[in-house]
Amino acid sequence: MSFADQADRTLEILALTPGWHRLRDLRPDCDDETVAAIVLEAANFAEGVLAPLNPVGDRLGARVVEGRVKTPQGFADAFRQYAEAGWLGMDVPEKFGGQAVPLTLHAACAPLFERGCVALMMAAGSTRAAAHLLAEVADQDTANEWVPKLATGEWAATICISEPEAGSDVGRLRTRAEQRDGEWVVTGQKIWISFGDHDMTSRIGHCLLARTNDQPGTRGISLFLVPNEIDGRSNGVSVDRIEEKMGLHGSPTCAMRFDGARGILLGKEGRGLPHLFTMIELMRLLTGCQGLGLASAAADVAEDYARERRQGGRPDQPPVPISSHPDVARQLHELRSTTEILRAAILELATTMDIARLEPQSGLDDFTGWMLPLIKNFGAETGFNVAGAAIQVLGGVGYTRDWPLEQYLRDARIMTIYEGTTGMQALDFLTRRLWRDEGRGLAIFLQKARDEIDAYATEHPGASEAALAALDEFERLSAGMISMRDDDPDGALYRADAYMRAAWSVVSVWMALRLSETNAVAGLAAQFAFHSARCA
């Protein structure tokens, strides 16, 4: 499947997504012809401009030269082209120079860009998310100055959370911000900052969490925008080093130092982490798109190779394509089905997020909150697992650098770690989305899935029955996890990962039936239903 084929498949699955039909009613400017033109152009851009840089970035990497980060050859020009073509600001509000297209359209295009060059897109992802953050929480002057510059790629942005002694435990961060002569001044160290410094834009804004008082935990943490330079002069922001990583070599992961750097308070003091979730949620959805982009590419490589590689068959006849061997056919079916189920789930979430924003009375925010940990984590896992499965199809050659699969595998491995590890997603899914929200998102999921699965009962009675049985079993499992909140909370936390995986199994059942135009995918639904019941 080429980039254009991936675009066609995306449009086909989007047309099957019930929420998309509602969204088109709410956004009549998003007619089929316009949307198809945009997605196909994204495929062309990804293939023509981004994809040639993927092996270059992996081979050359980024490096520090005289205290500044130098990106791989071609990255700066490609970032400029990406921004000038309107991709960077496509869903940014029009008043800030964006095109204000629905999030769904971005989610349809993003996997194409991530497939092209996931390392370079790390800079685009944080810059776009920061534009949305500043549009929402910054004061008017700051938003008017920064958001248009971010949307056009003239400036870039990062997200700065982690520190040497405070990773996932944000409440322990030590970077401090204090007021001096009416200005906020930030001092401390941040690590794991993607594109913390680079040569692709003239200015970089760091969306940074810092402690502004001594209240315990996250209550004393505020959010700041810290530019790397002000009026052409350094703002006390420097790079200590670039991390040596397994993958994403083209993306400089920086350890940053802030030494009396002037910052702009974003939102309310002490509300830094809640404010930052505007950015985090967009980046978690994008992580699912990253995994989907790499899975799409890996599945293509495996299928193309299996059609061309000839081995086995009758000894008195020419060798046959390995795709004709039943076990290879099974592997290809599994990696392709896994990829397309993820594609359908991402589009389901994105359309629902759009509808929830346009119709706040719908109550769909609970469902989007329930789905987001699943898309983030299992999108990331799918990217890694499909790359690994594709290597298995190719055999020994898949393990060599003659083929791109080993790079896909290395690049994908970090995705279940950044933007919240698997364990953090599981705990969020259990304690916030089930316990704190009192199962409201779960209830919407069960209703949406049952309504759609019922519609397939005539054409696929066996798969529909198995899918409904899996939903019933998962609902019983959820009730048990709710009761453990009071009876055995530690036991529930121990089972949080398994519970989240059971949820993804039943979401996969739902999506598989949506893709049931082919008997192969319909058959997969019963397989997932069995897996879901076993997890329960």
Side-chain angles (χ1 to χ4, degrees):
M1 184 174 70
S2 67
F3 280 82
D5 292 332
Q6 182 180 328
D8 289 340
R9 194 180 294 255
T10 299
L11 292 168
E12 180 182 9
I13 295 175
L14 184 60
L16 296 172
T17 306
W20 175 242
H21 302 290
R22 175 58 184 157
L23 183 57
R24 283 187 307 180
D25 292 339
L26 297 170
R27 289 291 303 266
D29 56 319
C30 294
D31 58 273
D32 290 341
E33 183 177 351
T34 300
V35 169
I38 292 172
V39 175
L40 290 171
E41 182 56 33
N44 292 334
F45 184 91
E47 185 171 23
V49 178
L50 299 178
L53 296 176
N54 202 43
V56 174
D58 185 60
R59 183 176 69 253
L60 298 180
R63 53 199 175 95
V64 178
V65 179
E66 298 180 352
R68 295 299 305 272
V69 171
K70 184 175 180 59
T71 56
Q73 183 178 356
F75 269 41
D77 183 59
F79 187 83
R80 177 187 57 77
Q81 291 186 58
Y82 181 82
E84 288 180 352
W87 301 117
L88 189 54
M90 63 187 299
D91 64 335
V92 171
E94 288 181 304
K95 68 179 181 178
F96 294 116
Q99 300 171 58
V101 304
L103 175 63
T104 300
L105 195 48
H106 179 272
C109 295
L112 292 158
F113 301 137
E114 303 296 344
R115 172 184 179 149
C117 188
V118 65
L120 176 56
M121 288 298 98
M122 294 287 289
S126 59
T127 298
R128 164 186 166 261
H132 284 278
L133 170 69
L134 297 179
E136 182 172 314
V137 304
D139 64 84
Q140 185 174 345
D141 288 344
T142 300
N144 289 339
E145 179 186 15
W146 276 85
V147 178
K149 299 284 190 180
L150 295 177
T152 58
E154 183 175 343
W155 295 349
T158 74
I159 182 170
C160 294
I161 302 176
S162 296
E163 301 179 5
E165 302 301 325
S168 301
D169 191 357
V170 177
R172 297 186 186 276
L173 64 80
R174 298 178 180 178
T175 295
R176 297 196 67 91
E178 57 184 17
Q179 285 191 308
R180 298 178 188 170
D181 300 325
E183 291 185 327
W184 286 99
V185 177
V186 177
T187 300
Q189 186 181 14
K190 295 291 183 179
I191 58 175
W192 312 123
I193 311 306
S194 297
F195 281 89
D197 189 55
H198 55 81
D199 55 0
M200 302 193 304
T201 63
S202 62
R203 200 178 191 195
I204 304 168
H206 301 285
C207 300
L208 177 147
L209 291 179
R211 187 167 294 284
T212 53
N213 59 58
D214 293 326
Q215 293 188 57
T218 62
R219 287 177 292 177
I221 294 174
S222 303
L223 178 61
F224 294 88
L225 174 66
V226 183
N228 68 327
E229 58 88 14
I230 297 176
D231 296 329
R233 298 182 179 182
S234 174
N235 186 34
V237 180
S238 59
V239 180
D240 281 346
R241 67 181 184 277
I242 296 177
E243 304 293 349
E244 296 290 337
K245 312 188 298 293
M246 174 189 292
L248 292 180
H249 295 157
S251 171
T253 302
C254 302
M256 307 291 299
R257 192 169 298 277
F258 298 84
D259 186 11
R262 290 161 58 188
I264 302 166
L265 179 67
L266 299 177
K268 296 181 180 179
E269 184 180 352
R271 296 285 296 166
L273 189 58
H275 288 323
L276 192 60
F277 260 90
T278 296
M279 192 171 182
I280 291 172
E281 288 181 354
L282 288 172
M283 296 178 74
R284 286 180 174 175
L285 174 60
L286 187 60
T287 301
C289 294
Q290 291 177 320
L292 177 57
L294 294 182
S296 299
D300 284 358
V301 171
E303 290 171 346
D304 291 344
Y305 181 86
R307 284 192 293 265
E308 297 172 3
R309 175 65 169 166
R310 294 180 179 272
Q311 288 279 281
R314 292 180 54 176
D316 59 340
Q317 298 290 328
V320 299
I322 65 171
S323 60
S324 66
H325 297 308
D327 186 63
V328 175
R330 173 192 60 80
Q331 294 177 63
L332 294 173
H333 167 67
E334 289 181 356
L335 59 87
R336 173 57 68 190
S337 298
T338 300
T339 300
E340 300 313 317
I341 283 170
L342 173 61
R343 196 183 316 280
I346 285 175
L347 294 174
E348 171 65 31
L349 173 58
T351 56
T352 309
M353 290 175 74
D354 276 325
I355 295 170
R357 292 170 182 173
L358 293 170
E359 297 183 323
Q361 73 281 5
S362 65
L364 291 173
D365 281 338
D366 289 321
F367 172 74
T368 62
W370 187 88
M371 277 283 285
L372 190 58
L374 301 178
I375 293 300
K376 189 279 173 187
N377 186 74
F378 295 104
E381 284 195 5
T382 297
F384 182 78
N385 292 340
V386 171
I391 291 174
Q392 191 72 23
V393 171
L394 269 66
V397 297
Y399 193 63
T400 70
R401 291 190 176 180
D402 293 336
W403 295 81
L405 295 175
E406 61 87 24
Q407 182 189 343
Y408 298 157
L409 190 78
R410 289 185 286 106
D411 287 348
R413 184 59 190 91
I414 187 62
M415 294 174 186
T416 57
I417 298 173
Y418 60 39
E419 306 307 331
T421 64
T422 298
M424 290 180 64
Q425 300 302 320
L427 292 177
D428 176 76
F429 188 70
L430 172 66
T431 62
R432 295 180 64 202
R433 304 309 173 185
L434 183 65
W435 290 353
R436 190 200 67 179
D437 293 352
E438 299 179 329
R440 292 188 298 271
L442 168 66
I444 296 173
F445 157 69
L446 291 171
Q447 188 63 55
K448 284 168 67 75
R450 283 170 174 150
D451 288 346
E452 188 172 349
I453 290 169
D454 281 339
Y456 293 103
T458 301
E459 188 174 356
H460 303 288
S464 297
E465 183 178 353
L468 290 172
L471 290 174
D472 291 343
E473 190 64 33
F474 180 69
E475 186 173 20
R476 287 190 288 272
L477 170 64
S478 299
M481 295 298 288
I482 290 173
S483 67
M484 291 181 73
R485 174 177 50 187
D486 299 322
D487 299 339
D488 185 12
D490 286 347
L493 296 177
Y494 186 90
R495 294 169 174 80
D497 181 84
Y499 176 65
M500 182 174 68
R501 293 181 187 279
W504 181 244
S505 291
V506 290
V507 168
S508 298
V509 171
W510 177 25
M511 295 298 107
L513 276 171
R514 182 174 293 177
L515 304 174
S516 60
E517 284 80 4
T518 64
N519 291 329
V521 177
L524 185 67
Q527 180 180 334
F528 269 111
F530 170 77
H531 174 67
S532 176
R534 186 174 63 177
C535 287

mmCIF file of all heavy atoms in Angstrom, residues 44-77:
data_model
loop_
_atom_site.group_PDB
_atom_site.id
_atom_site.type_symbol
_atom_site.label_atom_id
_atom_site.label_comp_id
_atom_site.label_asym_id
_atom_site.label_seq_id
_atom_site.Cartn_x
_atom_site.Cartn_y
_atom_site.Cartn_z
ATOM 1 N N ASN A 44 0.658 13.113 -0.803
ATOM 2 C CA ASN A 44 1.677 13.553 -1.758
ATOM 3 C C ASN A 44 2.818 14.285 -1.061
ATOM 4 O O ASN A 44 3.999 14.068 -1.366
ATOM 5 C CB ASN A 44 1.046 14.462 -2.821
ATOM 6 C CG ASN A 44 0.097 13.726 -3.737
ATOM 7 O OD1 ASN A 44 0.233 12.518 -3.937
ATOM 8 N ND2 ASN A 44 -0.875 14.434 -4.292
ATOM 9 N N PHE A 45 2.473 15.163 -0.124
ATOM 10 C CA PHE A 45 3.502 15.913 0.595
ATOM 11 C C PHE A 45 4.358 14.969 1.435
ATOM 12 O O PHE A 45 5.594 15.089 1.462
ATOM 13 C CB PHE A 45 2.861 16.977 1.477
ATOM 14 C CG PHE A 45 3.853 17.865 2.171
ATOM 15 C CD1 PHE A 45 4.278 19.037 1.564
ATOM 16 C CD2 PHE A 45 4.372 17.535 3.407
ATOM 17 C CE1 PHE A 45 5.214 19.863 2.190
ATOM 18 C CE2 PHE A 45 5.302 18.348 4.036
ATOM 19 C CZ PHE A 45 5.723 19.513 3.429
ATOM 20 N N ALA A 46 3.703 14.059 2.136
ATOM 21 C CA ALA A 46 4.439 13.130 2.992
ATOM 22 C C ALA A 46 5.407 12.284 2.182
ATOM 23 O O ALA A 46 6.559 12.066 2.581
ATOM 24 C CB ALA A 46 3.464 12.243 3.762
ATOM 25 N N GLU A 47 4.947 11.807 1.037
ATOM 26 C CA GLU A 47 5.782 10.935 0.216
ATOM 27 C C GLU A 47 6.891 11.716 -0.484
ATOM 28 O O GLU A 47 8.037 11.238 -0.567
ATOM 29 C CB GLU A 47 4.919 10.217 -0.819
ATOM 30 C CG GLU A 47 5.667 9.188 -1.642
ATOM 31 C CD GLU A 47 4.753 8.337 -2.493
ATOM 32 O OE1 GLU A 47 3.618 8.792 -2.793
ATOM 33 O OE2 GLU A 47 5.138 7.213 -2.857
ATOM 34 N N GLY A 48 6.579 12.911 -0.969
ATOM 35 C CA GLY A 48 7.545 13.645 -1.765
ATOM 36 C C GLY A 48 8.547 14.452 -0.965
ATOM 37 O O GLY A 48 9.718 14.572 -1.355
ATOM 38 N N VAL A 49 8.122 15.007 0.179
ATOM 39 C CA VAL A 49 8.975 15.910 0.942
ATOM 40 C C VAL A 49 9.524 15.256 2.208
ATOM 41 O O VAL A 49 10.720 15.380 2.523
ATOM 42 C CB VAL A 49 8.217 17.208 1.310
ATOM 43 C CG1 VAL A 49 9.091 18.122 2.159
ATOM 44 C CG2 VAL A 49 7.754 17.920 0.047
ATOM 45 N N LEU A 50 8.673 14.547 2.955
ATOM 46 C CA LEU A 50 9.074 14.030 4.259
ATOM 47 C C LEU A 50 9.792 12.689 4.179
ATOM 48 O O LEU A 50 10.820 12.488 4.831
ATOM 49 C CB LEU A 50 7.852 13.917 5.171
ATOM 50 C CG LEU A 50 7.108 15.217 5.468
ATOM 51 C CD1 LEU A 50 5.891 14.931 6.345
ATOM 52 C CD2 LEU A 50 8.021 16.236 6.138
ATOM 53 N N ALA A 51 9.244 11.757 3.409
ATOM 54 C CA ALA A 51 9.777 10.397 3.396
ATOM 55 C C ALA A 51 11.260 10.320 3.023
ATOM 56 O O ALA A 51 12.000 9.521 3.617
ATOM 57 C CB ALA A 51 8.944 9.513 2.468
ATOM 58 N N PRO A 52 11.746 11.116 2.061
ATOM 59 C CA PRO A 52 13.184 11.037 1.753
ATOM 60 C C PRO A 52 14.090 11.400 2.929
ATOM 61 O O PRO A 52 15.255 11.006 2.952
ATOM 62 C CB PRO A 52 13.343 12.041 0.600
ATOM 63 C CG PRO A 52 11.991 12.110 -0.042
ATOM 64 C CD PRO A 52 11.028 11.985 1.101
ATOM 65 N N LEU A 53 13.564 12.155 3.911
ATOM 66 C CA LEU A 53 14.379 12.575 5.049
ATOM 67 C C LEU A 53 14.442 11.529 6.153
ATOM 68 O O LEU A 53 15.297 11.633 7.048
ATOM 69 C CB LEU A 53 13.827 13.881 5.631
ATOM 70 C CG LEU A 53 13.870 15.102 4.709
ATOM 71 C CD1 LEU A 53 13.199 16.286 5.395
ATOM 72 C CD2 LEU A 53 15.303 15.446 4.341
ATOM 73 N N ASN A 54 13.548 10.538 6.126
ATOM 74 C CA ASN A 54 13.477 9.592 7.236
ATOM 75 C C ASN A 54 14.779 8.817 7.423
ATOM 76 O O ASN A 54 15.328 8.785 8.531
ATOM 77 C CB ASN A 54 12.291 8.649 7.043
ATOM 78 C CG ASN A 54 11.840 8.027 8.346
ATOM 79 O OD1 ASN A 54 11.747 8.709 9.360
ATOM 80 N ND2 ASN A 54 11.565 6.732 8.315
ATOM 81 N N PRO A 55 15.333 8.187 6.396
ATOM 82 C CA PRO A 55 16.616 7.497 6.597
ATOM 83 C C PRO A 55 17.775 8.459 6.835
ATOM 84 O O PRO A 55 18.725 8.128 7.543
ATOM 85 C CB PRO A 55 16.793 6.700 5.295
ATOM 86 C CG PRO A 55 15.965 7.413 4.278
ATOM 87 C CD PRO A 55 14.799 7.967 5.035
ATOM 88 N N VAL A 56 17.693 9.649 6.259
ATOM 89 C CA VAL A 56 18.749 10.650 6.449
ATOM 90 C C VAL A 56 18.823 11.066 7.916
ATOM 91 O O VAL A 56 19.904 11.111 8.522
ATOM 92 C CB VAL A 56 18.506 11.877 5.552
ATOM 93 C CG1 VAL A 56 19.521 12.978 5.852
ATOM 94 C CG2 VAL A 56 18.555 11.489 4.082
ATOM 95 N N GLY A 57 17.663 11.375 8.490
ATOM 96 C CA GLY A 57 17.631 11.773 9.889
ATOM 97 C C GLY A 57 18.110 10.681 10.811
ATOM 98 O O GLY A 57 18.810 10.937 11.802
ATOM 99 N N ASP A 58 17.757 9.445 10.497
ATOM 100 C CA ASP A 58 18.182 8.316 11.334
ATOM 101 C C ASP A 58 19.689 8.126 11.248
ATOM 102 O O ASP A 58 20.344 7.830 12.250
ATOM 103 C CB ASP A 58 17.456 7.049 10.880
ATOM 104 C CG ASP A 58 17.747 5.859 11.783
ATOM 105 O OD1 ASP A 58 17.443 5.958 12.993
ATOM 106 O OD2 ASP A 58 18.284 4.844 11.286
ATOM 107 N N ARG A 59 20.238 8.305 10.065
ATOM 108 C CA ARG A 59 21.671 8.065 9.867
ATOM 109 C C ARG A 59 22.520 9.208 10.433
ATOM 110 O O ARG A 59 23.531 8.972 11.098
ATOM 111 C CB ARG A 59 21.958 7.903 8.377
ATOM 112 C CG ARG A 59 23.419 7.567 8.065
ATOM 113 C CD ARG A 59 23.620 7.327 6.583
ATOM 114 N NE ARG A 59 23.480 8.541 5.782
ATOM 115 C CZ ARG A 59 22.446 8.815 4.992
ATOM 116 N NH1 ARG A 59 21.440 7.949 4.903
ATOM 117 N NH2 ARG A 59 22.394 9.942 4.293
ATOM 118 N N LEU A 60 22.137 10.450 10.193
ATOM 119 C CA LEU A 60 22.945 11.594 10.597
ATOM 120 C C LEU A 60 22.680 12.028 12.035
ATOM 121 O O LEU A 60 23.590 12.428 12.752
ATOM 122 C CB LEU A 60 22.692 12.774 9.644
ATOM 123 C CG LEU A 60 23.051 12.561 8.174
ATOM 124 C CD1 LEU A 60 22.728 13.825 7.382
ATOM 125 C CD2 LEU A 60 24.516 12.194 8.015
ATOM 126 N N GLY A 61 21.419 11.992 12.455
ATOM 127 C CA GLY A 61 21.058 12.472 13.779
ATOM 128 C C GLY A 61 21.266 13.971 13.930
ATOM 129 O O GLY A 61 21.674 14.664 13.002
ATOM 130 N N ALA A 62 20.933 14.462 15.111
ATOM 131 C CA ALA A 62 21.163 15.870 15.448
ATOM 132 C C ALA A 62 22.415 15.968 16.312
ATOM 133 O O ALA A 62 22.793 15.008 16.984
ATOM 134 C CB ALA A 62 19.951 16.432 16.184
ATOM 135 N N ARG A 63 23.053 17.128 16.332
ATOM 136 C CA ARG A 63 24.274 17.302 17.114
ATOM 137 C C ARG A 63 24.363 18.737 17.621
ATOM 138 O O ARG A 63 23.713 19.643 17.089
ATOM 139 C CB ARG A 63 25.510 16.954 16.286
ATOM 140 C CG ARG A 63 25.607 17.666 14.959
ATOM 141 C CD ARG A 63 26.577 16.954 14.009
ATOM 142 N NE ARG A 63 26.564 17.585 12.693
ATOM 143 C CZ ARG A 63 27.430 18.528 12.305
ATOM 144 N NH1 ARG A 63 28.392 18.918 13.138
ATOM 145 N NH2 ARG A 63 27.354 19.054 11.102
ATOM 146 N N VAL A 64 25.160 18.921 18.654
ATOM 147 C CA VAL A 64 25.379 20.245 19.237
ATOM 148 C C VAL A 64 26.641 20.834 18.623
ATOM 149 O O VAL A 64 27.714 20.219 18.655
ATOM 150 C CB VAL A 64 25.509 20.175 20.764
ATOM 151 C CG1 VAL A 64 25.796 21.558 21.345
ATOM 152 C CG2 VAL A 64 24.237 19.602 21.386
ATOM 153 N N VAL A 65 26.509 22.016 18.061
ATOM 154 C CA VAL A 65 27.629 22.728 17.460
ATOM 155 C C VAL A 65 27.696 24.130 18.079
ATOM 156 O O VAL A 65 26.761 24.924 17.911
ATOM 157 C CB VAL A 65 27.480 22.831 15.928
ATOM 158 C CG1 VAL A 65 28.654 23.615 15.334
ATOM 159 C CG2 VAL A 65 27.388 21.445 15.298
ATOM 160 N N GLU A 66 28.775 24.382 18.817
ATOM 161 C CA GLU A 66 28.973 25.684 19.465
ATOM 162 C C GLU A 66 27.764 26.086 20.307
ATOM 163 O O GLU A 66 27.275 27.215 20.264
ATOM 164 C CB GLU A 66 29.284 26.768 18.420
ATOM 165 C CG GLU A 66 30.575 26.502 17.656
ATOM 166 C CD GLU A 66 30.872 27.581 16.630
ATOM 167 O OE1 GLU A 66 29.992 28.453 16.401
ATOM 168 O OE2 GLU A 66 31.966 27.558 16.053
ATOM 169 N N GLY A 67 27.274 25.117 21.068
ATOM 170 C CA GLY A 67 26.207 25.388 22.024
ATOM 171 C C GLY A 67 24.801 25.367 21.477
ATOM 172 O O GLY A 67 23.838 25.533 22.234
ATOM 173 N N ARG A 68 24.637 25.180 20.161
ATOM 174 C CA ARG A 68 23.311 25.125 19.557
ATOM 175 C C ARG A 68 23.131 23.794 18.831
ATOM 176 O O ARG A 68 24.094 23.180 18.363
ATOM 177 C CB ARG A 68 23.109 26.275 18.561
ATOM 178 C CG ARG A 68 23.109 27.660 19.181
ATOM 179 C CD ARG A 68 21.990 27.871 20.202
ATOM 180 N NE ARG A 68 20.689 27.587 19.684
ATOM 181 C CZ ARG A 68 19.914 28.478 19.055
ATOM 182 N NH1 ARG A 68 20.351 29.713 18.840
ATOM 183 N NH2 ARG A 68 18.704 28.140 18.642
ATOM 184 N N VAL A 69 21.881 23.371 18.714
ATOM 185 C CA VAL A 69 21.579 22.094 18.062
ATOM 186 C C VAL A 69 21.457 22.286 16.562
ATOM 187 O O VAL A 69 20.733 23.182 16.097
ATOM 188 C CB VAL A 69 20.276 21.491 18.622
ATOM 189 C CG1 VAL A 69 19.852 20.273 17.799
ATOM 190 C CG2 VAL A 69 20.463 21.102 20.087
ATOM 191 N N LYS A 70 22.161 21.453 15.832
ATOM 192 C CA LYS A 70 22.082 21.442 14.377
ATOM 193 C C LYS A 70 21.304 20.196 13.958
ATOM 194 O O LYS A 70 21.680 19.081 14.293
ATOM 195 C CB LYS A 70 23.473 21.433 13.755
ATOM 196 C CG LYS A 70 23.455 21.511 12.228
ATOM 197 C CD LYS A 70 24.854 21.632 11.670
ATOM 198 C CE LYS A 70 24.830 21.719 10.138
ATOM 199 N NZ LYS A 70 24.034 22.872 9.662
ATOM 200 N N THR A 71 20.196 20.380 13.239
ATOM 201 C CA THR A 71 19.359 19.268 12.809
ATOM 202 C C THR A 71 19.916 18.634 11.537
ATOM 203 O O THR A 71 20.753 19.230 10.847
ATOM 204 C CB THR A 71 17.914 19.740 12.560
ATOM 205 O OG1 THR A 71 17.931 20.810 11.604
ATOM 206 C CG2 THR A 71 17.279 20.219 13.856
ATOM 207 N N PRO A 72 19.472 17.424 11.194
ATOM 208 C CA PRO A 72 19.964 16.764 9.985
ATOM 209 C C PRO A 72 19.679 17.584 8.724
ATOM 210 O O PRO A 72 18.715 18.357 8.667
ATOM 211 C CB PRO A 72 19.198 15.443 9.974
ATOM 212 C CG PRO A 72 18.844 15.191 11.391
ATOM 213 C CD PRO A 72 18.586 16.549 11.975
ATOM 214 N N GLN A 73 20.503 17.380 7.736
ATOM 215 C CA GLN A 73 20.357 18.101 6.470
ATOM 216 C C GLN A 73 18.959 17.901 5.898
ATOM 217 O O GLN A 73 18.467 16.790 5.796
ATOM 218 C CB GLN A 73 21.405 17.607 5.469
ATOM 219 C CG GLN A 73 21.381 18.341 4.138
ATOM 220 C CD GLN A 73 22.481 17.841 3.203
ATOM 221 O OE1 GLN A 73 23.292 17.004 3.586
ATOM 222 N NE2 GLN A 73 22.503 18.366 1.983
ATOM 223 N N GLY A 74 18.316 18.982 5.518
ATOM 224 C CA GLY A 74 16.992 18.938 4.902
ATOM 225 C C GLY A 74 15.846 19.142 5.864
ATOM 226 O O GLY A 74 14.720 19.462 5.430
ATOM 227 N N PHE A 75 16.088 18.993 7.174
ATOM 228 C CA PHE A 75 14.993 19.118 8.142
ATOM 229 C C PHE A 75 14.423 20.534 8.167
ATOM 230 O O PHE A 75 13.205 20.719 8.195
ATOM 231 C CB PHE A 75 15.474 18.711 9.542
ATOM 232 C CG PHE A 75 15.268 17.259 9.861
ATOM 233 C CD1 PHE A 75 15.516 16.276 8.909
ATOM 234 C CD2 PHE A 75 14.830 16.852 11.107
ATOM 235 C CE1 PHE A 75 15.328 14.936 9.194
ATOM 236 C CE2 PHE A 75 14.638 15.514 11.414
ATOM 237 C CZ PHE A 75 14.886 14.557 10.455
ATOM 238 N N ALA A 76 15.294 21.533 8.204
ATOM 239 C CA ALA A 76 14.818 22.916 8.302
ATOM 240 C C ALA A 76 13.987 23.300 7.088
ATOM 241 O O ALA A 76 12.922 23.934 7.218
ATOM 242 C CB ALA A 76 16.002 23.865 8.455
ATOM 243 N N ASP A 77 14.426 22.904 5.918
ATOM 244 C CA ASP A 77 13.683 23.241 4.700
ATOM 245 C C ASP A 77 12.342 22.518 4.666
ATOM 246 O O ASP A 77 11.322 23.106 4.274
ATOM 247 C CB ASP A 77 14.518 22.882 3.470
ATOM 248 C CG ASP A 77 13.824 23.282 2.174
ATOM 249 O OD1 ASP A 77 13.531 24.486 2.008
ATOM 250 O OD2 ASP A 77 13.569 22.402 1.337
#
